[in-house]
Amino acid sequence: MSNIREGNVRVYYLEREIREALNVLRARPLTERSKRQLVDGAKFLEMIKHTPYSRYTTVASLKERIVKERNKLKAELVKIDTGSSGHQITIYEMLDERSEEEKKRHAGRVAKLKDEIHWLHKCLGICKNTDYFK
């Protein structure tokens, strides 16, 4: 399993590896997959520059923070999305009628949370797998 990155690797080296992989991808003919990888790599590098991810020095600590954020978003999704698995309806919970605008806003919030959870899952893959950009 040589494609699994060790947790004690510095984030600095992770960034350097990603930048090198992105340069290799730019040199090749672009496919749909390579375009997606370029976007993911740039977005990941931008993400780890900002809080709460900027202060971590090892990949293991960065992954722990990403998992923590992802679990927090999953809990929020279960809490607000009554149609999701894991949501437990209580006997006191009332199914209220919402206006169309509220339904759209709620659906947008649920979709945004799901996208963010999916993105953080991708980030874990980028942190762990050295072959993500190959």
Side-chain angles (χ1 to χ4, degrees):
M1 296 212 135
S2 63
N3 63 342
I4 303 298
R5 187 175 282 115
E6 286 188 33
N8 60 356
V9 172
R10 295 267 188 207
V11 173
Y12 169 78
Y13 295 115
L14 171 67
E15 288 181 54
R16 193 173 72 186
E17 287 176 16
I18 291 172
R19 282 192 176 88
E20 290 171 1
L22 293 179
N23 288 335
V24 169
L25 283 173
R26 286 185 194 106
R28 293 186 205 161
L30 291 179
T31 63
E32 291 299 317
R33 181 173 185 234
S34 62
K35 288 177 189 175
R36 178 185 48 79
Q37 288 173 327
L38 286 169
V39 170
D40 288 349
K43 187 176 174 182
F44 180 78
L45 290 174
E46 185 64 29
M47 181 188 87
I48 61 175
K49 288 181 185 176
H50 302 289
T51 55
Y53 308 105
S54 61
R55 63 181 172 203
Y56 296 99
T57 57
T58 63
V59 173
S61 60
L62 178 64
K63 286 189 327 187
E64 286 175 14
R65 181 59 188 193
I66 291 171
V67 167
K68 185 177 177 181
E69 287 293 317
R70 185 180 65 167
N71 289 341
K72 185 172 72 171
L73 291 176
K74 282 181 178 181
E76 185 179 343
L77 179 65
V78 168
K79 182 180 171 186
I80 68 168
D81 189 15
T82 57
S84 70
S85 61
H87 182 81
Q88 185 173 356
I89 297 178
T90 65
I91 58 172
Y92 302 108
E93 188 171 347
M94 301 294 290
L95 294 176
D96 56 339
E97 286 297 318
R98 297 180 183 167
S99 68
E100 288 300 317
E101 184 178 319
E102 288 176 350
K103 287 180 184 178
K104 286 180 185 177
R105 206 173 326 127
H106 181 73
R109 176 71 178 139
V110 168
K112 185 177 177 184
L113 280 172
K114 286 182 179 180
D115 287 343
E116 188 67 23
I117 290 167
H118 180 71
W119 165 246
L120 291 175
H121 185 73
K122 273 187 177 184
C123 290
L124 288 174
I126 291 171
C127 287
K128 189 172 185 174
N129 191 352
T130 59
D131 292 339
Y132 185 86
F133 293 103
K134 293 183 178 160

